[in-house]
Amino acid sequence: MSRNDKSVEVKATDLKWKKVDVPDTLDDFDGFYGLEELDGVNVKVVDGKVTFTVSEQATGETEQDQSTAAIPNDDAEVDSSDELIEFKNFDDIKEGELSVASSDSEEGDEVSDDAGADADADELTSNVFNANVNFSEVEVELPDWQALGDFSMTTLQGLSKLGYTKPTEIQSKTIPLALEGHDIMGKASTGSGKTLAYGIPILENLIKGKDSARPVALIFTPTRELASQVTSHLTNLGESIFTGRNKFAIMSLTGGLSIQKQERVLKYDGSGQIIIATPGRFLELLEKRSDLVARFAQIETLVLDEADRLLQDGHFDEFTKILKLLSQARREKEGKRSHWQTLIFSATFSLDLFNKLASNGQGHTLKESDNELEEVLKQLMTKIHFKERPTIIDANPFDKVNMQVKEALIECAPLERDLYVYYFISMFPGTTLIFCNAIDSVKKLTSFLNFLRIPSFQIHSSMSQKNRLSNLEKYEKKAQFNKTLHKPTVLIASDVAARGLDIPGIQHVIHYHLPRTADVYIHRSGRTARGQSEGVSVMICSPQEAMGPLRKLRKVLSSGSESQRRQKRGRGLKWQKDVSLLPIEVDIVRQLKGRSQLAAELANHDVSSTSLNKDENWLKKAADDLGIDVDSDDEKKDVYLAKNRNRKLNKTLGKDEYKMRKLELNSMLDQPVRKDMRKKYLTGGLTNLADELVKKRGHGSIIGQSDTDALETLKRRKGKK
Ligand SMILES: Nc1ncnc2c1ncn2[C@@H]1O[C@H](COP(=O)(O)OP(=O)(O)OP(=O)(O)O)[C@@H](O)[C@H]1O
């Protein structure tokens, strides 16, 4: 198509497909192997959909001319965009799918009306072309993204491939300013796309940068998992930049992995242009290799993801040391005036952070009327040297918990937490992430649920990095498989997994223990309802907790300036009205009680005996290292060790006892749980349960229970109020 031709968009079905003769060796199976090709057509992906444009001149000609016009002759200028389209995996296309595309349909074929043909054409385009198009080889248009800035085709192709046709609110507000180099403090709810809000401008700088030796950005995250996730998010988005570029251009630097290997990789040309690091490991590297200080002092952008967490606890000291080293080196090399761009993001710039920062400085306690973010920023500016006063972008000014999260509460006796976790997962067999405040509880709950034949995986901070990542992968794989069977899959974690982790498809978050602070609650609950999806967050607490920690938590969550809240919700809600009680089917709880108790005993045995073995091995190893014999009486003499040992021994079972309980539990688990226990016969009562069973309708493991979706159950309940 020559440049000065105007082009018009045409449907796939209106294109002049040309059959390609298939060699005689292949039986043609009624065209199933029929290859079709096109030329003189410009392919473009707009808003994620494949479109075809041909020159206006070509569409106005006769059938005969069009077919020759479609074949560029020697002297006609062949536009680089003219393409022969060959679709890979042709045999993936179901038979007849292309029949809509071929213009020379056989005589007597049923000619569907226009609307029907259009619908078929759209279906064909989506099934065949969008599913098969290789985004890195076609031109992409994403108008809503391109309105934010002049993006490279690499970024647009990456966004198209990921299916992100529209930016989220925090992305729309952040990206234009970030591209201009401004300092930004961004706040947006969990799962709202903050990673790409700072990631896309940085990727654009990498793509457009001329000097592959100059580092572009340093991104700090509080946990290794989050660093590895941000690395894969950015690598996925910018996938096509790696052809002809060092594959370590984007890399993570975290603990738990070999520091020697990381040093070696950093020596390759073009490596580490974008670094995603945890402060501890990064500081270790800077202190070990002064040349890295000079190198990374040249960055264009510094990012603090989960900034409030990074500036709390242990991270803060490491972080300020890193900034001091880099700022000093920058001043020496490029003078006082030169400074990198700083972007800080979180879903919670919490009061706790403010009070911590204020307590170290000359700050004052925040009054209700103050603007929380402004005050936190004032404090931050005494700790972090910004290039200018950062622009505050608050994409979530009113609500703290993501609006797409439906919250609920289960009140139960302190010793019935396990039973109600089992009840919830039995009733709502989806994907569930359970948070515990203690690692011991994580271990016990994992064992408890596995005894109840509920596939459960654990991640907590005392596991090695390798085990944490492999358990996360095992969970995701199992969840993918169980989803097709409508069976539950559970991940149980300590708060190391509370922040930032973007685990696909988590439907429910359960707070087995109430979190210690409001921001932990917000981040935990934000592991569900990612992107555009919705989710459920359930707190399990005793009546005593309901009047103590829960009351405090709900009041902090429902704080924020009252006028803002009233404006947003029409009237301030009392905290009790914020959260609905999860409806409980008491007769089902009763049926689950026996098996829950047995599983709890078996889990206690498992965890205690494992721990006792570990203690013994540790004691033996310590004695060997000291070259002394361990005398069994020594333990008895040490009061603490003896007490600790007895506590664990009391939870272990004898071999026969263990076997008996396991047999008893398994025979119980083979009995179906039945809603409304009083129904003796499957065919009696209002619903014919036998019919439901045969047709596999309703619940997979509770006969007579139809609801399997917690979100719908809670929405329906909210509607009743
Ligand atoms: N423009 C977009 N359109 C659709 N999905 C998106 C878009 N941007 C990001 N996502 C997806 O939304 C999910 C959440 O993104 P991300 O992890 O960046 O959220 P976040 O705000 O950083 O969350 P958290 O506060 O928990 O760290 C991810 O699965 C991401 O791939």
Side-chain angles (χ1 to χ4, degrees):
M1 195 168 15
S2 64
R3 290 273 174 220
N4 50 21
D5 258 355
K6 273 201 325 193
S7 60
V8 281
E9 192 178 324
V10 290
K11 281 190 177 300
T13 45
D14 299 336
L15 292 167
K16 299 300 161 222
W17 294 91
K18 292 190 293 87
K19 281 202 180 311
V20 174
D21 292 333
V22 178
D24 300 346
T25 46
L26 270 179
D27 295 335
D28 193 7
F29 294 102
D30 298 336
F32 183 65
Y33 289 130
L35 283 176
E36 313 254 348
E37 67 178 14
L38 279 169
D39 50 31
V41 177
N42 188 17
V43 182
K44 213 188 282 191
V45 177
V46 181
D47 271 344
K49 294 228 172 347
V50 175
T51 62
F52 301 94
T53 48
V54 291
S55 70
E56 204 164 36
Q57 181 254 349
T59 52
E61 291 184 352
T62 61
E63 187 74 15
Q64 178 50 34
D65 296 348
Q66 273 173 5
S67 60
T68 45
I71 304 166
N73 54 37
D74 299 352
D75 53 2
E77 183 196 343
V78 179
D79 185 326
S80 60
S81 61
D82 286 357
E83 319 198 27
L84 289 185
I85 313 173
E86 303 229 343
F87 285 88
K88 302 175 186 67
N89 323 319
F90 219 89
D91 47 4
D92 292 347
I93 295 164
K94 290 190 287 301
E95 187 172 347
E97 203 165 38
L98 270 185
S99 58
V100 179
S102 54
S103 54
D104 49 353
S105 52
E106 298 305 318
E107 272 312 304
D109 267 8
E110 198 177 307
V111 181
S112 51
D113 61 78
D114 281 357
D118 280 356
D120 290 346
D122 290 346
E123 190 192 343
L124 168 80
T125 309
S126 57
N127 287 349
V128 172
F129 301 119
N130 296 335
N132 286 281
V133 70
N134 182 338
F135 286 103
S136 56
E137 287 173 7
V138 289
E139 194 187 331
V140 169
E141 273 183 22
L142 288 168
D144 292 328
W145 282 102
Q146 287 165 289
L148 303 180
D150 174 23
F151 291 138
S152 62
M153 193 44 71
T154 300
T155 299
L156 293 171
Q157 287 165 340
L159 289 166
S160 229
K161 184 191 68 178
L162 291 166
Y164 301 161
T165 52
K166 298 197 179 335
T168 62
E169 185 184 355
I170 187 71
Q171 291 164 354
S172 303
K173 291 182 174 174
T174 298
I175 291 174
L177 290 172
L179 287 171
E180 287 167 6
H182 293 294
D183 284 356
I184 294 169
M185 176 184 191
K187 174 173 165 279
S189 58
T190 50
S192 57
K194 292 189 286 299
T195 308
L196 295 189
Y198 65 73
I200 288 175
I202 286 172
L203 206 59
E204 283 295 297
N205 285 342
L206 174 70
I207 294 163
K208 293 170 181 166
K210 300 280 177 287
D211 172 4
S212 66
R214 183 183 171 100
V216 171
L218 267 177
I219 301 169
F220 286 102
T221 67
T223 63
R224 301 165 181 173
E225 285 77 9
L226 187 50
S228 128
Q229 175 188 293
V230 170
T231 306
S232 55
H233 267 197
L234 296 183
T235 309
N236 267 342
L237 180 68
E239 191 181 17
S240 50
I241 55 170
F242 293 103
T243 37
R245 194 190 281 260
N246 182 326
K247 67 176 181 165
F248 293 109
I250 301 175
M251 66 183 276
S252 64
L253 289 177
T254 65
L257 302 168
S258 147
I259 190 166
Q260 290 74 19
K261 183 164 180 261
Q262 290 168 342
E263 284 183 83
R264 223 177 17 255
V265 167
L266 282 171
K267 284 190 185 124
Y268 303 148
D269 282 349
S271 67
Q273 288 201 268
I274 297 177
I275 295 278
I276 300 94
T278 45
R281 172 52 60 89
F282 194 75
L283 178 60
E284 195 182 341
L285 273 164
L286 292 188
E287 287 171 341
K288 204 165 177 245
R289 296 274 307 283
S290 58
D291 58 314
L292 293 179
V293 177
R295 175 171 160 183
F296 289 116
Q298 301 175 66
I299 52 168
E300 294 168 42
T301 306
L302 174 78
V303 178
L304 273 64
D305 192 355
E306 309 298 344
D308 59 329
R309 178 81 174 70
L310 273 176
L311 297 172
Q312 285 173 9
D313 310 343
H315 290 304
F316 191 55
D317 303 342
E318 292 159 342
F319 194 66
T320 34
K321 279 183 194 152
I322 291 170
L323 290 186
K324 198 158 164 246
L325 284 170
L326 296 179
S327 306
Q328 206 171 330
R330 179 95 169 200
R331 267 199 305 281
E332 281 159 17
K333 184 160 168 56
E334 307 195 13
K336 268 197 185 299
R337 299 199 55 75
S338 153
H339 206 279
W340 50 72
Q341 171 189 36
T342 305
L343 309 174
I344 58 177
F345 283 87
S346 181
T348 54
F349 283 97
S350 63
L351 295 177
D352 307 18
L353 165 68
F354 170 80
N355 294 329
K356 267 204 172 77
L357 290 169
S359 61
N360 302 345
Q362 57 290 358
H364 60 285
T365 46
L366 193 63
K367 291 192 294 302
E368 191 64 25
S369 55
D370 286 343
N371 176 316
E372 196 171 83
L373 277 193
E374 290 286 350
E375 290 303 316
V376 171
L377 178 58
K378 253 189 230 154
Q379 286 303 321
L380 280 181
M381 289 176 78
T382 62
K383 311 283 176 197
I384 300 176
H385 177 58
F386 290 94
K387 188 168 73 168
E388 60 191 25
R389 178 181 168 70
T391 307
I392 293 182
I393 297 175
D394 188 351
N396 182 29
F398 299 110
D399 298 282
K400 301 196 185 322
V401 178
N402 185 324
M403 289 291 282
Q404 290 153 211
V405 173
K406 200 102 199 83
E407 297 175 87
L409 173 65
I410 296 178
E411 275 195 18
C412 67
L415 297 178
E416 288 188 324
R417 278 180 214 279
D418 298 0
L419 169 61
Y420 279 89
V421 163
Y422 180 35
Y423 166 79
F424 182 90
I425 292 167
S426 305
M427 291 290 282
F428 307 112
T431 48
T432 302
L433 169 52
I434 303 177
F435 283 104
C436 303
N437 288 353
I439 289 174
D440 216 27
S441 306
V442 173
K443 294 177 183 171
K444 236 180 280 175
L445 202 50
T446 308
S447 175
F448 168 78
L449 290 174
N450 279 311
F451 274 117
L452 292 164
R453 299 178 187 166
I454 296 173
S456 303
F457 305 87
Q458 59 181 318
I459 54 171
H460 53 74
S461 46
S462 74
M463 287 166 74
S464 72
Q465 170 70 7
K466 194 164 139 286
N467 285 344
R468 282 174 11 193
L469 286 177
S470 90
N471 274 5
L472 215 41
E473 280 158 22
K474 282 181 205 159
Y475 160 79
E476 289 184 19
K477 212 162 146 211
K478 189 70 176 171
Q480 202 63 33
F481 176 72
N482 277 350
K483 190 174 168 186
T484 54
L485 306 172
H486 301 295
K487 287 193 176 305
T489 316
V490 180
L491 183 65
I492 303 165
S494 64
D495 280 330
V496 72
R499 288 244 185 191
L501 273 194
D502 187 48
I503 306 163
I506 297 273
Q507 291 166 281
H508 322 118
V509 165
I510 294 182
H511 307 268
Y512 181 78
H513 297 119
L514 286 182
R516 295 186 181 86
T517 61
D519 61 317
V520 171
Y521 176 81
I522 291 166
H523 284 279
R524 282 184 179 181
S525 303
R527 290 322 97 207
T528 184
R530 310 290 293 169
Q532 324 294 339
S533 55
E534 294 182 284
V536 170
S537 169
V538 181
M539 292 171 287
I540 296 186
C541 69
S542 63
Q544 298 82 342
E545 282 177 305
M547 292 324 289
L550 176 67
R551 180 190 183 84
K552 184 172 166 269
L553 172 69
R554 298 314 305 183
K555 287 181 92 87
V556 172
L557 289 171
S558 57
S559 68
S561 69
E562 213 34 50
S563 57
Q564 282 175 333
R565 280 181 48 74
R566 285 180 186 283
Q567 201 180 358
K568 170 85 179 167
R569 297 198 171 167
R571 56 183 176 75
L573 287 173
K574 276 278 165 245
W575 71 270
Q576 292 88 337
K577 294 196 174 66
D578 261 3
V579 191
S580 37
L581 277 172
L582 184 85
I584 301 291
E585 304 279 350
V586 179
D587 66 326
I588 290 177
V589 174
R590 193 180 307 114
Q591 293 173 66
L592 299 179
K593 206 160 192 164
R595 47 187 85 186
S596 170
Q597 270 156 357
L598 280 172
E601 285 173 28
L602 290 164
N604 277 331
H605 167 82
D606 251 11
V607 172
S608 301
S609 46
T610 310
S611 173
L612 280 168
N613 293 340
K614 270 190 182 163
D615 291 350
E616 269 152 34
N617 295 341
W618 177 84
L619 214 57
K620 192 174 170 312
K621 186 175 177 307
D624 290 350
D625 293 350
L626 294 169
I628 54 173
D629 291 336
V630 177
D631 172 354
S632 59
D633 289 346
D634 286 352
E635 275 194 82
K636 292 190 185 86
K637 284 180 202 138
D638 179 313
V639 177
Y640 169 72
L641 278 180
K643 212 167 143 201
N644 191 30
R645 184 175 162 70
N646 288 334
R647 183 173 55 79
K648 289 174 186 172
L649 277 172
N650 293 338
K651 289 181 180 171
T652 52
L653 301 165
K655 221 179 239 173
D656 298 343
E657 267 185 306
Y658 182 83
K659 264 194 199 143
M660 284 301 292
R661 279 185 175 55
K662 222 172 162 192
L663 279 173
E664 198 184 341
L665 175 58
N666 285 332
S667 68
M668 275 185 171
L669 292 174
D670 293 339
Q671 303 306 317
V673 178
R674 189 181 300 167
K675 186 176 167 64
D676 304 338
M677 245 327 255
R678 52 186 172 286
K679 270 199 191 76
K680 282 279 175 277
Y681 302 100
L682 289 183
T683 52
L686 294 176
T687 46
N688 181 332
L689 299 178
D691 185 41
E692 298 245 320
L693 272 177
V694 166
K695 289 179 184 152
K696 291 199 179 310
R697 278 205 306 252
H699 207 284
S701 59
I702 298 180
I703 300 174
Q705 170 65 19
S706 51
D707 280 357
T708 59
D709 185 318
L711 187 62
E712 291 316 313
T713 305
L714 286 166
K715 281 181 174 177
R716 215 178 17 260
R717 183 169 180 77
K718 192 87 182 168
K720 274 187 194 150
K721 266 196 173 170

